[in-house]
Amino acid sequence: MMLDVDAVKGLDIAEVKADLKKVFVSSQDFWPADFGHYGPLMVRLAWHCAGSFRSSDGRGGCDGARIRWLPAYFDPERSWADNTNLDKARSLLWPIKLKYGKALTWGDLIVLAGTTAIEDMGGPVLGVCLGRIDDADGSASSALGPTPLQEMVAPCEADGDCKDPLGPSTMSLIYVNPEGPLANPVPELSAPQIRDTFARMAMNDAETVALVGGGHAFGKVHGACPTGPGPAPKDQPSDPWPGTCGAGPMKGKGPNTFTSGFEGPWTTNPIAWDNEYFKNLIEYDWEKHKGPGDHWQWRPVPKPGDNDPPAPIMMLTADVALIKDAEYLKWVTLYAENQTALDEAFSQAWYKLMSRDMGPHSRCLGSQLPPSQPFQAPLPPPSKPLPDFAKCAASFRQTDYSGGCNGARIRLAPQKDWPSNKGMDGVLNVLLPIKDKYPTLSVADLIVLAGNAALEDAGARKLKFCGGRSDAPADEAPLPFVPPRQFDDKIIEVRDNWAVKGLSPRDGVALAGRPRSPSQQMRLGYSGSWTSASNKFDNLYFKVLLNEEWDNKTSSAGLDEFRAVGKADVWMTPRDLAIRWDPEFQAIAQEFAADNTAFRNAFAAAWTRFMNADRFNGPTGSECP
Ligand code: HEM
């Protein structure tokens, strides 16, 4: 869907917040508010919307708002077990969505609701980044599972111990099983899973502890009886999770709610911000017991000599884990002793959690926007005036708007050491003397310009160049950029890589037809290329790919490759052959093989779009036409 930038810019955020605050304290009969305040429910909604983000491939996050519930094609996220009863939170927000229309996308509304709730309950807030673009359906989360696509691209061998690239340890949950690994209530076993899965979300220990304990300063867990919440939206879309506890008009709601199957609050005032969660963790001994929802949870042990019973509070196994791990315990102790340290850590980590999938700061809109944060990989402003006037771009991911040529990080670790970038240092060495002639020319612009010039020289259509990239400082702390994933099945690999880059099949097939010199292919570890005339740009690639027969070989560097039968020096990679094997890609390749003009046009469009995909001076993407 399109973002109406002017409408978002015109949004009166203060007015939306005032409306939200009224909704928070107006308890509705269809879903009565715990403690008279919907704030905790909204914090959970925003956390579950944003917390699906994973740094492995940039998928997930609240940009896209794929946690929405109707219509049916918002699966899988809307039916995740961890999202039980969040349909009620979205129903509460519906009048506000209706009032502000396209100025407030669902993604922005959910993030603003969670953030305003924290503020309304007295919590610290850094600000808010708006500008999320709602997806038209939930398909961009298919790879997160559980779906047939996820089983193909990222199978989880043992549910409860799912590995990277998946975000959580358990399918359908946001990160870990609260009861302990595979419902085994051993906090010591839960801690490593929390560390592993929060790292997949790009969070360190200090951030993780601040987020879990800061989040659980609010609200309660719900598990009034053992019989569960009832069918999820995918099974009963008209009345999801109706609830099974209790009877009569309050069946399944209020005190009869079943969401996760645990029961009780973490603190004595669950609608007020403070560090009581951390104090409770440290001050009490905790013992496990089965709650009314028949799940293991933890209660405080009465203190010796204390006549009063302990406060009616509880902890989950995943909470107690934070004091059973030496590193986590340090942070719990700090936050228990120092409210200001918690305020700072929580407000920053919450903002990162909400905004990590938004990419560069320039995509953010709104009058309550904080300055660029380290996780947004800020670049210095481009040099002015610009001089008169791609492999580098291949690291771009549309899923979280990271990577790309802008910043010229291809010359820095870790990108310069990716196997797919072998030989690039040599190319850069050839180019850099040109830069010396034009001191204001950035390396990033130079690389794109050189790519354009080489392609045009070889005979490509005139390629539009749009300058203004800048270079990341050479001493920048290495960013956690990862190379594209590899799969045994090359059709899956090509599809997944193109999807992450935001390339359509037509774009991807067209770009595959670029000339590739035998020497560059050899530097990458292959035996050669499909052409020796790498300075000629036409549709030969598609003719060779479709007309030759191919023998599977292994290069001297150990790479899988294909040689044209009967031809000693005509080589393709498995990713090329995937274009021939996949019926959709093959049809596009056939069109290009038959029509050189169609190929040249498609290539010029895809190349220009891709080269500029990482250029943001505004929320919707490239500043270049
Ligand atoms: C509620 C688990 C991290 C905020 C819950 C519930 C569970 C849970 C089981 C109960 C849901 C229900 O029955 O209503 C976990 C686990 C975490 C985690 C295992 C990570 C190890 C977080 C984080 C935040 C957060 C990072 C926010 C920063 C909340 C809030 C509620 C909640 C506000 C209360 C919702 C309400 O009162 O309706 N969490 N959580 N949680 N969680 Fe977490």
Side-chain angles (χ1 to χ4, degrees):
M1 289 189 194
M2 296 291 288
L3 183 72
D4 188 330
V5 175
D6 291 334
V8 182
K9 279 186 178 161
L11 183 73
D12 183 342
I13 299 184
E15 188 188 337
V16 184
K17 285 173 130 182
D19 288 345
L20 281 168
K21 287 176 185 177
K22 272 187 225 144
V23 167
F24 295 161
V25 292
S26 308
S27 185
Q28 302 292 324
D29 289 346
F30 80 88
W31 195 252
D34 298 328
F35 320 108
H37 202 298
Y38 289 118
L41 181 65
M42 298 299 166
V43 174
R44 177 171 160 249
L45 173 67
W47 143 236
H48 285 206
C49 189
S52 59
F53 174 78
R54 59 194 203 188
S55 41
S56 57
D57 56 12
R59 285 187 168 110
C62 204
D63 191 11
R66 291 170 302 276
I67 201 174
R68 301 206 304 285
W69 70 116
L70 284 174
Y73 40 79
F74 274 102
D75 279 319
E77 280 191 50
R78 68 167 187 158
S79 293
W80 284 356
D82 238 2
N83 290 338
T84 301
N85 288 330
L86 288 178
D87 58 315
K88 280 77 175 182
R90 290 172 306 234
S91 298
L92 290 162
L93 293 178
W94 173 238
I96 299 196
K97 177 72 187 97
L98 207 57
K99 175 173 172 188
Y100 293 97
K102 58 189 179 174
L104 188 59
T105 60
W106 269 112
D108 283 350
L109 173 55
I110 291 171
V111 168
L112 200 53
T115 307
T116 307
I118 293 172
E119 204 175 61
D120 200 34
M121 294 184 287
V125 160
L126 203 63
V128 66
C129 153
L130 300 184
R132 285 165 196 77
I133 303 170
D134 288 343
D135 284 2
D137 61 39
S139 56
S141 288
S142 293
L144 308 186
T147 62
L149 176 73
Q150 164 263 320
E151 278 169 30
M152 211 157 61
V153 298
C156 173
E157 310 267 312
D159 200 11
D161 195 21
C162 303
K163 306 281 185 211
D164 189 71
L166 291 168
S169 68
T170 308
M171 299 303 306
S172 271
L173 297 189
I174 308 283
Y175 298 94
V176 298
N177 187 331
E179 204 172 0
L182 294 168
N184 186 11
V186 183
E188 290 80 357
L189 296 179
S190 181
Q193 277 205 340
I194 298 174
R195 177 167 294 113
D196 176 27
T197 55
F198 271 67
R200 296 185 217 167
M201 195 183 17
M203 295 292 175
N204 63 24
D205 284 358
E207 292 165 331
T208 304
V209 175
L211 281 173
V212 177
H216 293 171
F218 304 121
K220 68 181 286 274
V221 291
H222 301 82
C225 73
T227 50
K234 68 179 165 46
D235 302 316
Q236 188 167 292
S238 57
D239 184 18
W241 297 302
T244 58
C245 307
M250 288 303 282
K251 183 179 174 198
K253 55 189 179 181
N256 297 320
T257 302
F258 188 114
T259 301
S260 58
F262 308 95
E263 185 56 41
W266 291 270
T267 67
T268 51
N269 188 350
I271 53 170
W273 169 253
D274 54 27
N275 60 352
E276 188 196 320
Y277 169 95
F278 298 100
K279 290 180 173 160
N280 288 344
L281 265 181
I282 289 181
E283 280 170 19
Y284 287 106
D285 286 332
W286 295 88
E287 66 180 6
K288 66 173 188 282
H289 71 116
K290 284 253 172 126
D294 200 28
H295 284 302
W296 288 109
Q297 56 184 67
W298 298 71
R299 66 186 164 207
V301 179
K303 290 181 189 162
D306 215 344
N307 290 335
D308 299 328
I313 51 173
M314 65 88 230
M315 291 282 166
L316 303 164
T317 304
D319 296 305
V320 178
L322 302 183
I323 48 169
K324 299 291 178 186
D325 175 280
E327 284 305 309
Y328 281 159
L329 179 61
K330 279 190 216 159
W331 296 107
V332 173
T333 311
L334 173 71
Y335 300 145
E337 286 169 358
N338 187 336
Q339 178 74 53
T340 314
L342 174 64
D343 289 356
E344 272 172 28
F346 179 76
S347 58
Q348 285 175 9
W350 175 262
Y351 180 70
K352 176 175 169 184
L353 176 66
M354 293 298 114
S355 321
R356 173 62 187 80
D357 66 325
M358 283 292 283
H361 184 258
S362 50
R363 286 200 67 233
C364 294
L365 288 169
S367 53
Q368 305 200 357
L369 180 63
S372 188
Q373 303 292 306
F375 71 87
Q376 292 171 317
L379 286 172
S383 313
K384 291 213 169 87
L386 288 172
D388 287 342
F389 351 9
K391 199 156 181 80
C392 183
S395 64
F396 176 70
R397 308 196 302 201
Q398 194 220 18
T399 45
D400 64 347
Y401 305 92
S402 69
C405 201
N406 205 358
R409 294 193 170 95
I410 196 171
R411 70 199 205 290
L412 308 176
Q415 273 186 46
K416 74 176 172 59
D417 303 319
W418 291 358
S420 57
N421 288 337
K422 260 191 207 151
M424 279 301 119
D425 47 348
V427 179
L428 277 172
N429 285 342
V430 174
L431 287 178
L432 286 179
I434 303 179
K435 177 172 161 44
D436 294 342
K437 271 171 84 183
Y438 303 95
T440 60
L441 178 67
S442 67
V443 180
D445 269 348
L446 176 61
I447 295 172
V448 174
L449 201 53
N452 281 16
L455 285 162
E456 285 171 10
D457 235 27
R461 265 187 44 179
K462 176 110 190 78
L463 299 166
K464 242 187 223 160
F465 174 74
C466 170
R469 291 166 190 80
S470 66
D471 298 335
D475 58 355
E476 178 183 74
L479 291 165
F481 288 153
V482 286
R485 287 181 58 210
Q486 299 195 345
F487 295 79
D488 290 340
D489 186 313
K490 292 299 152 184
I491 294 183
I492 296 179
E493 179 172 317
V494 169
R495 278 199 177 274
D496 188 69
N497 286 185
W498 289 353
V500 167
K501 289 176 163 52
L503 293 172
S504 68
R506 196 176 170 78
D507 288 343
V509 174
L511 291 176
R514 71 193 182 280
R516 276 171 271 169
S517 75
S519 53
Q520 172 57 14
Q521 291 301 95
M522 284 177 191
R523 270 194 293 269
L524 294 174
Y526 297 107
S527 301
S529 175
W530 48 273
T531 176
S532 51
S534 59
N535 54 354
K536 192 159 177 284
F537 185 93
D538 61 17
N539 60 349
L540 180 65
Y541 168 81
F542 302 101
K543 293 179 184 164
V544 174
L545 179 67
L546 298 175
N547 293 342
E548 300 294 342
E549 289 307 315
W550 299 96
D551 261 349
N552 199 180
K553 303 274 180 200
T554 303
S555 75
S556 54
L559 297 183
D560 208 19
E561 60 180 356
F562 290 83
R563 191 176 71 187
V565 173
K567 302 205 170 143
D569 56 356
V570 178
W571 296 91
M572 291 262 181
T573 72
R575 290 170 61 97
D576 295 313
L577 266 293
I579 294 177
R580 175 167 160 155
W581 295 327
D582 180 280
E584 185 187 7
F585 301 160
Q586 191 198 66
I588 301 168
Q590 279 169 346
E591 181 198 340
F592 292 158
D595 185 344
N596 192 29
T597 310
F599 164 56
R600 285 160 54 84
N601 289 343
F603 182 90
W607 174 267
T608 308
R609 212 171 20 250
F610 194 52
M611 283 303 126
N612 293 324
D614 62 351
R615 304 289 309 281
F616 300 100
N617 67 344
T620 51
S622 178
E623 61 203 305
C624 295

